[in-house]
PDB file of all heavy atoms in Angstrom:
ATOM      1  N   GLN A 256       0.840  -1.190   0.000  1.00 97.00           N
ATOM      2  CA  GLN A 256       0.000   0.000   0.000  1.00 97.00           C
ATOM      3  C   GLN A 256       0.880   1.246   0.000  1.00 97.00           C
ATOM      4  O   GLN A 256       1.760   1.389   0.850  1.00 97.00           O
ATOM      5  CB  GLN A 256      -0.882  -0.028   1.250  1.00 97.00           C
ATOM      6  CG  GLN A 256      -1.747   1.187   1.466  1.00 97.00           C
ATOM      7  CD  GLN A 256      -2.638   1.011   2.680  1.00 97.00           C
ATOM      8  OE1 GLN A 256      -3.666   0.341   2.612  1.00 97.00           O
ATOM      9  NE2 GLN A 256      -2.253   1.582   3.808  1.00 97.00           N
ATOM     10  N   VAL A 257       0.655   2.128  -0.974  1.00 98.00           N
ATOM     11  CA  VAL A 257       1.412   3.374  -1.061  1.00 98.00           C
ATOM     12  C   VAL A 257       0.497   4.530  -0.673  1.00 98.00           C
ATOM     13  O   VAL A 257      -0.609   4.667  -1.215  1.00 98.00           O
ATOM     14  CB  VAL A 257       1.973   3.597  -2.475  1.00 98.00           C
ATOM     15  CG1 VAL A 257       2.788   4.894  -2.528  1.00 98.00           C
ATOM     16  CG2 VAL A 257       2.844   2.413  -2.895  1.00 98.00           C
ATOM     17  N   SER A 258       0.946   5.348   0.253  1.00 97.00           N
ATOM     18  CA  SER A 258       0.138   6.473   0.722  1.00 97.00           C
ATOM     19  C   SER A 258       0.156   7.606  -0.288  1.00 97.00           C
ATOM     20  O   SER A 258       1.218   8.030  -0.752  1.00 97.00           O
ATOM     21  CB  SER A 258       0.675   6.981   2.068  1.00 97.00           C
ATOM     22  OG  SER A 258       0.615   5.971   3.046  1.00 97.00           O
ATOM     23  N   LEU A 259      -1.038   8.103  -0.623  1.00 97.00           N
ATOM     24  CA  LEU A 259      -1.176   9.214  -1.558  1.00 97.00           C
ATOM     25  C   LEU A 259      -2.358  10.053  -1.092  1.00 97.00           C
ATOM     26  O   LEU A 259      -3.505   9.621  -1.169  1.00 97.00           O
ATOM     27  CB  LEU A 259      -1.406   8.682  -2.977  1.00 97.00           C
ATOM     28  CG  LEU A 259      -1.076   9.604  -4.143  1.00 97.00           C
ATOM     29  CD1 LEU A 259       0.379  10.049  -4.101  1.00 97.00           C
ATOM     30  CD2 LEU A 259      -1.369   8.913  -5.468  1.00 97.00           C
ATOM     31  N   ASP A 260      -2.064  11.245  -0.598  1.00 96.00           N
ATOM     32  CA  ASP A 260      -3.081  12.039   0.089  1.00 96.00           C
ATOM     33  C   ASP A 260      -3.543  13.271  -0.666  1.00 96.00           C
ATOM     34  O   ASP A 260      -4.094  14.197  -0.059  1.00 96.00           O
ATOM     35  CB  ASP A 260      -2.566  12.453   1.470  1.00 96.00           C
ATOM     36  CG  ASP A 260      -2.409  11.269   2.400  1.00 96.00           C
ATOM     37  OD1 ASP A 260      -3.213  10.324   2.301  1.00 96.00           O
ATOM     38  OD2 ASP A 260      -1.479  11.271   3.218  1.00 96.00           O
ATOM     39  N   GLY A 261      -3.352  13.282  -1.976  1.00 96.00           N
ATOM     40  CA  GLY A 261      -3.839  14.409  -2.751  1.00 96.00           C
ATOM     41  C   GLY A 261      -3.034  14.603  -4.014  1.00 96.00           C
ATOM     42  O   GLY A 261      -2.123  13.826  -4.317  1.00 96.00           O
ATOM     43  N   THR A 262      -3.396  15.633  -4.743  1.00 95.00           N
ATOM     44  CA  THR A 262      -2.618  16.010  -5.906  1.00 95.00           C
ATOM     45  C   THR A 262      -1.258  16.528  -5.432  1.00 95.00           C
ATOM     46  O   THR A 262      -1.039  16.692  -4.223  1.00 95.00           O
ATOM     47  CB  THR A 262      -3.362  17.089  -6.704  1.00 95.00           C
ATOM     48  OG1 THR A 262      -3.777  18.135  -5.801  1.00 95.00           O
ATOM     49  CG2 THR A 262      -4.617  16.511  -7.363  1.00 95.00           C
ATOM     50  N   GLU A 263      -0.352  16.781  -6.361  1.00 96.00           N
ATOM     51  CA  GLU A 263       1.037  17.019  -5.980  1.00 96.00           C
ATOM     52  C   GLU A 263       1.221  18.111  -4.937  1.00 96.00           C
ATOM     53  O   GLU A 263       1.910  17.907  -3.926  1.00 96.00           O
ATOM     54  CB  GLU A 263       1.867  17.338  -7.228  1.00 96.00           C
ATOM     55  CG  GLU A 263       3.350  17.494  -6.922  1.00 96.00           C
ATOM     56  CD  GLU A 263       4.206  17.522  -8.172  1.00 96.00           C
ATOM     57  OE1 GLU A 263       3.642  17.593  -9.288  1.00 96.00           O
ATOM     58  OE2 GLU A 263       5.442  17.465  -8.035  1.00 96.00           O
ATOM     59  N   ALA A 264       0.615  19.270  -5.150  1.00 96.00           N
ATOM     60  CA  ALA A 264       0.829  20.389  -4.233  1.00 96.00           C
ATOM     61  C   ALA A 264       0.343  20.063  -2.826  1.00 96.00           C
ATOM     62  O   ALA A 264       1.034  20.334  -1.831  1.00 96.00           O
ATOM     63  CB  ALA A 264       0.128  21.639  -4.756  1.00 96.00           C
ATOM     64  N   LEU A 265      -0.834  19.448  -2.725  1.00 96.00           N
ATOM     65  CA  LEU A 265      -1.391  19.172  -1.404  1.00 96.00           C
ATOM     66  C   LEU A 265      -0.699  17.992  -0.735  1.00 96.00           C
ATOM     67  O   LEU A 265      -0.430  18.017   0.475  1.00 96.00           O
ATOM     68  CB  LEU A 265      -2.892  18.906  -1.518  1.00 96.00           C
ATOM     69  CG  LEU A 265      -3.677  18.893  -0.200  1.00 96.00           C
ATOM     70  CD1 LEU A 265      -3.334  20.111   0.652  1.00 96.00           C
ATOM     71  CD2 LEU A 265      -5.167  18.855  -0.476  1.00 96.00           C
ATOM     72  N   HIS A 266      -0.388  16.964  -1.506  1.00 96.00           N
ATOM     73  CA  HIS A 266       0.346  15.818  -0.937  1.00 96.00           C
ATOM     74  C   HIS A 266       1.683  16.283  -0.375  1.00 96.00           C
ATOM     75  O   HIS A 266       2.079  15.874   0.721  1.00 96.00           O
ATOM     76  CB  HIS A 266       0.567  14.760  -2.021  1.00 96.00           C
ATOM     77  CG  HIS A 266       1.269  13.537  -1.525  1.00 96.00           C
ATOM     78  ND1 HIS A 266       0.607  12.475  -0.933  1.00 96.00           N
ATOM     79  CD2 HIS A 266       2.588  13.197  -1.519  1.00 96.00           C
ATOM     80  CE1 HIS A 266       1.480  11.535  -0.593  1.00 96.00           C
ATOM     81  NE2 HIS A 266       2.688  11.949  -0.948  1.00 96.00           N
ATOM     82  N   ASP A 267       2.378  17.131  -1.109  1.00 97.00           N
ATOM     83  CA  ASP A 267       3.676  17.635  -0.635  1.00 97.00           C
ATOM     84  C   ASP A 267       3.507  18.548   0.577  1.00 97.00           C
ATOM     85  O   ASP A 267       4.390  18.608   1.443  1.00 97.00           O
ATOM     86  CB  ASP A 267       4.401  18.378  -1.753  1.00 97.00           C
ATOM     87  CG  ASP A 267       5.009  17.427  -2.780  1.00 97.00           C
ATOM     88  OD1 ASP A 267       4.808  16.204  -2.658  1.00 97.00           O
ATOM     89  OD2 ASP A 267       5.677  17.918  -3.718  1.00 97.00           O
ATOM     90  N   GLN A 268       2.388  19.256   0.652  1.00 96.00           N
ATOM     91  CA  GLN A 268       2.117  20.085   1.826  1.00 96.00           C
ATOM     92  C   GLN A 268       1.933  19.212   3.068  1.00 96.00           C
ATOM     93  O   GLN A 268       2.388  19.557   4.162  1.00 96.00           O
ATOM     94  CB  GLN A 268       0.855  20.921   1.598  1.00 96.00           C
ATOM     95  CG  GLN A 268       0.504  21.853   2.743  1.00 96.00           C
ATOM     96  CD  GLN A 268      -0.774  22.643   2.487  1.00 96.00           C
ATOM     97  OE1 GLN A 268      -1.242  22.756   1.347  1.00 96.00           O
ATOM     98  NE2 GLN A 268      -1.360  23.192   3.529  1.00 96.00           N
ATOM     99  N   ILE A 269       1.307  18.073   2.889  1.00 94.00           N
ATOM    100  CA  ILE A 269       1.043  17.159   3.997  1.00 94.00           C
ATOM    101  C   ILE A 269       2.287  16.377   4.391  1.00 94.00           C
ATOM    102  O   ILE A 269       2.565  16.183   5.577  1.00 94.00           O
ATOM    103  CB  ILE A 269      -0.093  16.184   3.612  1.00 94.00           C
ATOM    104  CG1 ILE A 269      -1.412  16.948   3.462  1.00 94.00           C
ATOM    105  CG2 ILE A 269      -0.237  15.067   4.646  1.00 94.00           C
ATOM    106  CD1 ILE A 269      -2.529  16.130   2.835  1.00 94.00           C
ATOM    107  N   ARG A 270       3.075  15.942   3.391  1.00 95.00           N
ATOM    108  CA  ARG A 270       4.155  14.985   3.655  1.00 95.00           C
ATOM    109  C   ARG A 270       5.566  15.531   3.415  1.00 95.00           C
ATOM    110  O   ARG A 270       6.536  14.927   3.872  1.00 95.00           O
ATOM    111  CB  ARG A 270       3.936  13.731   2.806  1.00 95.00           C
ATOM    112  CG  ARG A 270       2.697  12.969   3.229  1.00 95.00           C
ATOM    113  CD  ARG A 270       2.462  11.719   2.408  1.00 95.00           C
ATOM    114  NE  ARG A 270       1.318  10.986   2.905  1.00 95.00           N
ATOM    115  CZ  ARG A 270       1.365   9.993   3.797  1.00 95.00           C
ATOM    116  NH1 ARG A 270       2.529   9.594   4.264  1.00 95.00           N
ATOM    117  NH2 ARG A 270       0.270   9.386   4.210  1.00 95.00           N
ATOM    118  N   GLY A 271       5.678  16.620   2.692  1.00 95.00           N
ATOM    119  CA  GLY A 271       6.997  17.177   2.439  1.00 95.00           C
ATOM    120  C   GLY A 271       7.284  17.296   0.948  1.00 95.00           C
ATOM    121  O   GLY A 271       6.793  16.502   0.143  1.00 95.00           O
ATOM    122  N   GLU A 272       8.087  18.278   0.586  1.00 96.00           N
ATOM    123  CA  GLU A 272       8.374  18.547  -0.819  1.00 96.00           C
ATOM    124  C   GLU A 272       9.003  17.327  -1.500  1.00 96.00           C
ATOM    125  O   GLU A 272       9.927  16.709  -0.981  1.00 96.00           O
ATOM    126  CB  GLU A 272       9.325  19.739  -0.937  1.00 96.00           C
ATOM    127  CG  GLU A 272       9.584  20.181  -2.363  1.00 96.00           C
ATOM    128  CD  GLU A 272      10.472  21.412  -2.446  1.00 96.00           C
ATOM    129  OE1 GLU A 272      10.797  21.984  -1.386  1.00 96.00           O
ATOM    130  OE2 GLU A 272      10.829  21.792  -3.577  1.00 96.00           O
ATOM    131  N   GLY A 273       8.471  16.984  -2.660  1.00 97.00           N
ATOM    132  CA  GLY A 273       8.981  15.868  -3.430  1.00 97.00           C
ATOM    133  C   GLY A 273       8.328  14.535  -3.105  1.00 97.00           C
ATOM    134  O   GLY A 273       8.576  13.535  -3.782  1.00 97.00           O
ATOM    135  N   ALA A 274       7.471  14.508  -2.070  1.00 97.00           N
ATOM    136  CA  ALA A 274       6.868  13.245  -1.629  1.00 97.00           C
ATOM    137  C   ALA A 274       5.902  12.669  -2.667  1.00 97.00           C
ATOM    138  O   ALA A 274       5.800  11.443  -2.811  1.00 97.00           O
ATOM    139  CB  ALA A 274       6.150  13.446  -0.299  1.00 97.00           C
ATOM    140  N   PHE A 275       5.197  13.546  -3.383  1.00 98.00           N
ATOM    141  CA  PHE A 275       4.241  13.055  -4.385  1.00 98.00           C
ATOM    142  C   PHE A 275       4.971  12.303  -5.491  1.00 98.00           C
ATOM    143  O   PHE A 275       4.568  11.194  -5.879  1.00 98.00           O
ATOM    144  CB  PHE A 275       3.456  14.231  -4.975  1.00 98.00           C
ATOM    145  CG  PHE A 275       2.447  13.830  -6.020  1.00 98.00           C
ATOM    146  CD1 PHE A 275       1.170  13.433  -5.651  1.00 98.00           C
ATOM    147  CD2 PHE A 275       2.769  13.864  -7.366  1.00 98.00           C
ATOM    148  CE1 PHE A 275       0.227  13.063  -6.611  1.00 98.00           C
ATOM    149  CE2 PHE A 275       1.839  13.503  -8.333  1.00 98.00           C
ATOM    150  CZ  PHE A 275       0.564  13.098  -7.956  1.00 98.00           C
ATOM    151  N   ALA A 276       6.037  12.887  -5.991  1.00 98.00           N
ATOM    152  CA  ALA A 276       6.793  12.247  -7.071  1.00 98.00           C
ATOM    153  C   ALA A 276       7.342  10.895  -6.624  1.00 98.00           C
ATOM    154  O   ALA A 276       7.335   9.926  -7.392  1.00 98.00           O
ATOM    155  CB  ALA A 276       7.934  13.160  -7.518  1.00 98.00           C
ATOM    156  N   LYS A 277       7.808  10.818  -5.385  1.00 98.00           N
ATOM    157  CA  LYS A 277       8.334   9.557  -4.865  1.00 98.00           C
ATOM    158  C   LYS A 277       7.234   8.507  -4.712  1.00 98.00           C
ATOM    159  O   LYS A 277       7.461   7.313  -4.946  1.00 98.00           O
ATOM    160  CB  LYS A 277       9.026   9.782  -3.518  1.00 98.00           C
ATOM    161  CG  LYS A 277      10.406  10.398  -3.637  1.00 98.00           C
ATOM    162  CD  LYS A 277      11.374   9.437  -4.339  1.00 98.00           C
ATOM    163  CE  LYS A 277      12.780   9.979  -4.390  1.00 98.00           C
ATOM    164  NZ  LYS A 277      13.714   9.058  -5.100  1.00 98.00           N
ATOM    165  N   ALA A 278       6.044   8.943  -4.322  1.00 98.00           N
ATOM    166  CA  ALA A 278       4.928   8.006  -4.183  1.00 98.00           C
ATOM    167  C   ALA A 278       4.523   7.442  -5.540  1.00 98.00           C
ATOM    168  O   ALA A 278       4.302   6.233  -5.677  1.00 98.00           O
ATOM    169  CB  ALA A 278       3.744   8.707  -3.513  1.00 98.00           C
ATOM    170  N   ILE A 279       4.432   8.303  -6.547  1.00 98.00           N
ATOM    171  CA  ILE A 279       4.079   7.847  -7.898  1.00 98.00           C
ATOM    172  C   ILE A 279       5.148   6.891  -8.423  1.00 98.00           C
ATOM    173  O   ILE A 279       4.843   5.841  -9.012  1.00 98.00           O
ATOM    174  CB  ILE A 279       3.914   9.038  -8.852  1.00 98.00           C
ATOM    175  CG1 ILE A 279       2.746   9.937  -8.403  1.00 98.00           C
ATOM    176  CG2 ILE A 279       3.700   8.546 -10.277  1.00 98.00           C
ATOM    177  CD1 ILE A 279       1.392   9.265  -8.431  1.00 98.00           C
ATOM    178  N   GLU A 280       6.390   7.243  -8.200  1.00 98.00           N
ATOM    179  CA  GLU A 280       7.508   6.386  -8.627  1.00 98.00           C
ATOM    180  C   GLU A 280       7.419   5.012  -7.957  1.00 98.00           C
ATOM    181  O   GLU A 280       7.648   3.978  -8.591  1.00 98.00           O
ATOM    182  CB  GLU A 280       8.825   7.070  -8.250  1.00 98.00           C
ATOM    183  CG  GLU A 280      10.077   6.320  -8.642  1.00 98.00           C
ATOM    184  CD  GLU A 280      11.331   7.049  -8.192  1.00 98.00           C
ATOM    185  OE1 GLU A 280      11.408   8.279  -8.385  1.00 98.00           O
ATOM    186  OE2 GLU A 280      12.229   6.395  -7.628  1.00 98.00           O
ATOM    187  N   ALA A 281       7.069   5.003  -6.663  1.00 98.00           N
ATOM    188  CA  ALA A 281       6.964   3.746  -5.928  1.00 98.00           C
ATOM    189  C   ALA A 281       5.807   2.893  -6.438  1.00 98.00           C
ATOM    190  O   ALA A 281       5.927   1.667  -6.547  1.00 98.00           O
ATOM    191  CB  ALA A 281       6.780   4.029  -4.436  1.00 98.00           C
TER     192      ALA A 281
END
């Protein structure tokens, strides 16, 4: 299970800059 909490801007706001790209990559 990969955590994804929103579109890029909001996911990165919640988890930290660059986190969205890493989640998609994973």
Side-chain angles (χ1 to χ4, degrees):
Q256 176 176 281
V257 181
S258 299
L259 202 58
D260 293 326
T262 49
E263 184 168 9
L265 193 48
H266 182 86
D267 284 4
Q268 182 181 342
I269 293 169
R270 293 180 176 267
E272 185 177 354
F275 180 86
K277 283 294 184 181
I279 297 297
E280 181 182 315

